[in-house]
Amino acid sequence: MNLIKKLGSLEKITLRFVVFSLLFFGLSSLEGMMMRTELCNIKLIEPEHYFAVLNAHPIVGVFGYSFMLVMGAFYFLVPTLMNKKLFSEKLAHLNLWLMVGGVMIVWLSSFLFRYAALYTNYWPLPILRSTPVSLLSYGIGMFTIMSSVLIFCFNLYATILKKAPGQTKPTTAYIISGLGLDGLINLFRRLVGKGKRKDLPDVPLPLTAIFKGSVDTVLDALVLGLVSLVLIIYAVSGFAGKMFSHKIIDPLIYKNVYWWGLDLIADGLVLIYVVGTWYLLTMLITKRSIFGENVVRAAMFIELVVSWSVWSHHLLSDQPQPLFLRFFSGELITSLEIITTGIAIFCSLATLWLARPLKMTVPLKFMLGGITGFAIGAVAGIMQANVDTNRILHNTQWVVGFHAHTMILVGLSMTLFAALYAVFPMVTKLELKSNRLVSLHFWCNFIGGIGMSMAMGYAGLAGMLRRNLYFGETKYLPYMYVAMLFGLVIVVGYAAMMINIIRSIGVKTLISLFVRIPALEKEV
């Protein structure tokens, strides 16, 4: 019997998300290489198009690629780990198509209409530097994406919290455990000598991460959705003949609200989702519980609270920003993230160490690569979280190189690929055709990601600004040539992964996930 007839509805949903995620990764890589050529003084696109691509690139990469891969994996893992049915497959499909449509609308707003206010959308840049049509298309695209994110979170929470047959414990008990408060309770009871609390439900640790990470996801979607609605209102007023005054909105308040929501992606949900993925992979690989489980549950809850309080490290170089916020939010509270992330790394590695001997499987190799990327990127981030150092580094290639791209291309992506390679045989009941292509993908993404990020970082140390073009300037070209070379290495790794997956599943099967092929359905 052919694969498409073996797949259940849940498996098909997962694969559809994965297909679009990997396609968006390719589109994001193409955009990145387009910008690389411009920074190498290879004039393939005009400057206006460059800055438009600079705006679309993180949206395609973060929401189109990473969010959709996370969504696909969680739609399979949450019902599987909870031994429940997904709350609504119809909502999952709506989630899929809204996300795809929203990302494509945002991409078209830049590709066709040259919307170029950058992903920060600092007020009043979006309305002063954009045509009404570009502003409207971008706003609609982002609002659609955030609507999709909210549907995803609702579907997950409804799945986790709906009562299974024979379930007697109240829903509030599952919420307490889902938030990891049981870890804090257990630690406190041991501290005061009352033993371990046993009356809370056993919500699996990876689901605790999903549960808590989705809290930040909801908050992020609400803030960015509200901002998108504001942009839509201003665009409509522009079509009506006179755009509303930008003075209605205070720029400093706007910056703080916007970054509070935007920062939840990087310093909230990504960290929690990623460490949850490490725990899941570690448990699958070792077949044992995570070392210090109560500690990591408590640490994830602390990370959740910390993620609401660290946004100001993005505004350390903004002089109007109150010094109180820059010091406590930007420096002091931000430093706690290195502790919570360190606990996650230590407990994951300790669990692996205690389970020796272990075989170096594909998921384990990619997970270790992801941990390495996070270790490098997190240290760079903490270095930036200092008022004085930030004045030098903030507006340079260091930030997007050493910190952002190391975290995303190596830390986040290697972790997501580890989950992909772990879930692939669980979903398809197939093994990948070529281990050599898997190894090629690993080394190209790992070496290419670190190499490109370091080249960008060193260019920043040499004084190269981000969000800027240097016409006729040759000082930074050596760094950009090296970044271009390592960028091409990443593309080779991506091609190896795609070839391997397509060969393993088959082109017809992939197409039949979206379009009925009667001849394929008749195959046995």
Side-chain angles (χ1 to χ4, degrees), residues 9 53 85 132 166 170 175 273 308 350 355 408 416 452 488 501 504-505:
S9 56
V53 171
K85 288 185 177 181
I175 294 176
Y273 280 164
W308 303 336
I408 293 172
L416 292 180
M452 190 178 82
L488 290 172
I501 291 175
S504 301
I505 296 181

Side-chain angles (χ1 to χ4, degrees), residues 305-497:
V305 177
V306 167
S307 69
W308 303 336
S309 313
V310 296
W311 80 95
S312 198
H313 59 218
H314 293 278
L315 302 172
L316 287 178
S317 295
D318 287 64
Q319 296 309 300
Q321 183 74 350
L323 183 60
F324 173 84
L325 284 177
R326 281 190 279 166
F327 176 71
F328 283 98
S329 170
E331 289 191 359
L332 186 62
I333 302 179
T334 297
S335 64
L336 293 177
E337 289 194 318
I338 201 72
I339 298 174
T340 55
T341 304
I343 290 173
I345 292 175
F346 173 79
C347 290
S348 297
L349 294 179
T351 306
L352 294 171
W353 178 263
L354 294 173
R356 293 170 300 151
L358 289 174
K359 181 181 178 182
M360 183 59 76
T361 61
V362 170
L364 176 56
K365 181 164 63 174
F366 273 86
M367 187 185 80
L368 293 175
I371 289 175
T372 302
F374 259 92
I376 297 171
V379 170
I382 290 299
M383 291 174 65
Q384 295 159 208
N386 174 278
V387 172
D388 294 324
T389 306
N390 194 269
R391 293 188 185 196
I392 301 171
L393 299 176
H394 182 72
N395 200 38
T396 71
Q397 290 280 334
W398 164 283
V399 174
V400 289
F402 272 132
H403 180 51
H405 276 77
T406 303
M407 295 285 276
I408 293 172
L409 284 176
V410 187
L412 174 62
S413 289
M414 299 295 279
T415 300
L416 292 180
F417 291 141
L420 174 64
Y421 285 124
V423 171
F424 180 84
M426 297 168 62
V427 172
T428 65
K429 304 300 186 293
L430 296 173
E431 296 296 332
L432 290 167
K433 290 284 187 181
S434 173
N435 288 328
R436 289 185 178 181
L437 287 177
V438 172
S439 293
L440 180 62
H441 176 215
F442 172 83
W443 289 112
C444 284
N445 199 88
F446 185 73
I447 295 174
I450 291 180
M452 190 178 82
S453 301
M454 290 185 66
M456 295 168 67
Y458 279 114
L461 291 177
M464 186 176 183
L465 301 179
R466 58 176 171 156
R467 306 171 188 159
N468 198 23
L469 288 174
Y470 290 85
F471 296 106
E473 176 62 62
T474 60
K475 177 181 178 180
Y476 307 116
L477 284 181
Y479 302 104
M480 294 299 99
Y481 288 151
V482 173
M484 168 74 85
L485 176 63
F486 281 110
L488 290 172
V489 172
I490 296 173
V491 172
V492 171
Y494 169 75
M497 174 188 63

Side-chain angles (χ1 to χ4, degrees), residues 52-312:
V53 171
L54 187 61
N55 177 82
H57 178 63
I59 304 301
V60 175
V62 172
F63 292 103
Y65 153 56
S66 59
F67 261 64
M68 291 198 73
L69 194 53
V70 165
M71 289 173 175
F74 288 177
Y75 270 135
F76 177 77
L77 292 171
V78 169
T80 301
L81 293 174
M82 292 293 293
N83 196 25
K84 295 179 179 180
K85 288 185 177 181
L86 183 66
F87 177 76
S88 174
E89 293 183 2
K90 289 183 179 179
L91 283 179
H93 284 109
L94 180 61
N95 173 195
L96 170 71
W97 294 113
L98 284 178
M99 182 62 78
V100 172
V103 171
M104 288 307 301
I105 292 171
V106 169
W107 181 78
L108 288 172
S109 72
S110 294
F111 184 78
L112 291 181
F113 306 121
R114 301 295 193 265
Y115 181 82
L118 308 181
Y119 70 95
T120 52
N121 286 291
Y122 278 173
W123 197 262
L125 184 62
I127 62 170
L128 293 182
R129 299 292 298 173
S130 308
T131 61
V133 65
S134 70
L135 187 62
L136 180 64
S137 57
Y138 179 82
I140 290 175
M142 288 300 295
F143 190 82
T144 303
I145 290 172
M146 297 310 141
S147 300
S148 176
V149 170
L150 290 175
I151 290 172
F152 166 73
C153 293
F154 172 81
N155 215 1
L156 285 192
Y157 281 137
T159 302
I160 294 173
L161 297 178
K162 73 176 181 179
K163 288 192 174 182
Q167 179 180 320
T168 58
K169 292 184 178 180
T171 300
T172 52
Y174 284 85
I175 294 176
I176 290 172
S177 186
L179 289 173
L181 290 172
D182 52 350
L184 283 172
I185 293 170
N186 289 338
L187 290 175
F188 175 76
R189 289 175 67 86
R190 286 184 175 179
L191 183 65
V192 297
K194 292 187 177 181
K196 182 179 179 181
R197 184 179 175 117
K198 299 180 182 296
D199 61 334
L200 289 174
D202 184 20
V203 175
L205 181 60
L207 284 187
T208 302
I210 295 171
F211 196 99
K212 287 188 286 194
S214 296
V215 173
D216 277 351
T217 306
V218 170
L219 295 174
D220 156 62
L222 290 175
V223 171
L224 297 188
L226 177 62
V227 170
S228 303
L229 187 59
V230 170
L231 299 183
I232 291 171
I233 292 172
Y234 268 85
V236 171
S237 72
F239 280 116
K242 186 177 181 181
M243 188 173 287
F244 296 140
S245 171
H246 67 272
K247 296 181 180 179
I248 297 174
I249 297 176
D250 180 86
L252 184 60
I253 295 176
Y254 176 95
K255 272 187 179 183
N256 278 276
V257 172
Y258 189 84
W259 268 117
W260 185 79
L262 192 64
D263 186 73
L264 291 174
I265 296 175
D267 297 282
L269 67 96
V270 166
L271 284 177
I272 298 173
Y273 280 164
V274 164
V275 299
T277 304
W278 291 345
Y279 297 147
L280 172 64
L281 292 169
T282 301
M283 292 167 66
L284 290 174
I285 292 167
T286 64
K287 303 294 190 296
R288 61 190 298 165
S289 299
I290 297 296
F291 175 79
E293 182 169 337
N294 285 321
V295 174
V296 299
R297 283 178 179 270
M300 278 196 292
F301 178 77
I302 294 171
E303 172 59 41
L304 176 65
V305 177
V306 167
S307 69
W308 303 336
S309 313
V310 296
W311 80 95
S312 198

Side-chain angles (χ1 to χ4, degrees), residues 43-59:
K43 304 301 178 182
L44 298 181
I45 57 177
E46 67 274 17
E48 183 184 10
H49 191 192
Y50 169 85
F51 288 105
V53 171
L54 187 61
N55 177 82
H57 178 63
I59 304 301

